[in-house]
Amino acid sequence: MSEFNSSNIYKIAVVMGSDSDLKTLKPAIDILNEFGIETEVCILSAHRTPMEMMEYAKKAESENIKVIIAGAGGAAHLPGMIASLTCIPVIGVPVESKTLRGIDSLLSIVQMPAGIPVATVAINGAKNAGLLAIQILSLFDEALRVKMKKFRDNLHTQVRSKNRKLSDLGADNYLKNY
């Protein structure tokens, strides 16, 4: 039997370089909770707490963490540094900054050297990071795969419903009511 299955308890970690990133990463935490996945949330700075960050990354596998979502702004070294220390998949969430609106973070996270990949979502794209982590786990967890399929089916239903309302009301009335 696979290491991943619904009888095993596994975790997804959500880490951030600063508590100011928590608001940006909260949608990942929320979607993981919605799917019933144990989530570990912590603050680790690649620059201010490098030793703790290294220890965390090295121990993550033994703690049954299967995916790490790492948010970072500015220089955005946290996702890449964690990825350099573990073979666990890391998903980087670029956090919007005031100076360059998150472009600096995005470019820093996506420009990983060959051999040390970090999956990267949109600036402030934490919900998609959570969903990507769930999809990774669902490869080995049938119950989670069923939940993901139901989630996607619900998205489809919502869009079809909105399209019907738009068609019935027309653009001007739709905008007044929604």
Side-chain angles (χ1 to χ4, degrees), residues 14-74:
V14 178
V15 300
M16 64 208 77
S18 171
D19 63 342
S20 63
D21 299 338
L22 181 57
K23 184 177 179 183
T24 299
L25 292 169
K26 184 74 165 74
I29 298 164
D30 292 344
I31 196 71
L32 295 169
N33 288 335
E34 184 179 324
F35 274 78
I37 296 172
E38 185 175 344
T39 307
E40 182 172 292
V41 182
C42 60
I43 300 167
L44 294 169
S45 171
H47 303 113
R48 294 178 293 261
T49 59
M51 302 309 283
E52 292 86 347
M53 183 249 349
M54 287 190 289
E55 183 178 333
Y56 185 88
K58 289 177 181 178
K59 289 185 176 182
E61 192 170 348
S62 68
E63 297 293 324
N64 218 12
I65 293 170
K66 301 300 182 189
V67 180
I68 299 172
I69 297 169

Side-chain angles (χ1 to χ4, degrees), residues 1-2 4-10 31-32 34-37 133-153:
M1 187 109 217
S2 172
F4 290 95
N5 63 58
S6 52
S7 65
N8 284 338
I9 301 299
Y10 48 74
I31 196 71
L32 295 169
E34 184 179 324
F35 274 78
I37 296 172
I134 293 165
Q135 287 178 304
I136 291 168
L137 291 180
S138 76
L139 292 169
F140 306 97
D141 184 328
E142 182 63 31
L144 202 51
R145 189 168 31 256
V146 169
K147 286 182 184 179
M148 179 56 76
K149 172 95 172 80
K150 189 174 182 178
F151 177 84
R152 290 282 188 92
D153 289 346

Side-chain angles (χ1 to χ4, degrees), residues 66-85:
K66 301 300 182 189
V67 180
I68 299 172
I69 297 169
H77 290 134
L78 184 62
M81 290 301 298
I82 289 174
S84 75
L85 296 162

